[in-house]
Amino acid sequence: MTIAVYPGSFDPVTLGHIDIAERAAKIFDKVIIAVMVNPHKNALFTVEQRKDLISEAVKHIPNIEVDSFPGLLVHYVQNKGAKVIVKGLRAVSDFESELSMASINWAMYSGAETFFIPTNSKYSYISSSLVKEIARHNGPIEDFVTPYVCQALRQVNQH
């Protein structure tokens, strides 16, 4: 069984993230979407909220599990017995930083390979940061996130 870990902050999860997860789930036996716990990042949603938003978005995919982890990704990957780290690429600029991270991860743990999935072009311009900014100004976000995430963003921005 090939286990893949798809890590990220997912604050919030977008349709682009879901597209990558769906495509990875067709390739690997099990995909763990792993929310990184980073106390230094000023996240809009708590880790538990992000896990809930992701779980709702991928509930139709039986071989996806949603989890979270603190610390180094390679330690988490080792603990889960995963052989693959899945990363989505939106643009050439993503590739440069992701390649650097993949190299460092491989140097620390050569038991897992990084698998890059280019984003579907219809999602290539979507980022969690942009979605949050649009939502903060009451702009239309329905084409970028699931209805459940849209509702959560609207509620957070009302307070």
Side-chain angles (χ1 to χ4, degrees), residues 19-36:
D19 176 61
I20 297 293
E22 288 173 339
R23 291 162 60 201
K26 291 177 185 172
I27 300 166
F28 304 107
D29 298 313
K30 179 179 180 181
V31 175
I32 303 169
I33 300 177
V35 177
M36 296 184 293

Side-chain angles (χ1 to χ4, degrees), residues 21-96:
E22 288 173 339
R23 291 162 60 201
K26 291 177 185 172
I27 300 166
F28 304 107
D29 298 313
K30 179 179 180 181
V31 175
I32 303 169
I33 300 177
V35 177
M36 296 184 293
V37 177
N38 185 346
H40 304 294
K41 270 198 168 185
N42 190 13
L44 182 61
F45 293 103
T46 67
V47 169
E48 289 307 313
Q49 288 172 320
R50 286 181 270 164
K51 285 171 56 179
D52 174 61
L53 294 171
I54 296 165
S55 294
E56 177 64 25
V58 299
K59 66 184 180 187
H60 63 288
I61 312 167
N63 62 327
I64 289 186
E65 173 186 313
V66 179
D67 197 10
S68 61
F69 70 97
L72 292 176
L73 172 61
V74 291
H75 292 158
Y76 179 79
V77 168
Q78 280 179 293
N79 290 338
K80 290 295 183 176
K83 299 286 182 229
V84 178
I85 299 166
V86 170
K87 300 297 277 193
L89 296 175
R90 287 178 300 192
V92 172
S93 56
D94 284 351
F95 181 73
E96 207 170 315

Side-chain angles (χ1 to χ4, degrees), residues 107-126:
M108 289 188 289
Y109 177 57
S110 62
E113 292 290 344
T114 300
F115 190 87
F116 295 111
I117 300 178
T119 191
N120 183 316
S121 60
K122 68 181 176 181
Y123 303 123
S124 63
Y125 59 92
I126 300 173

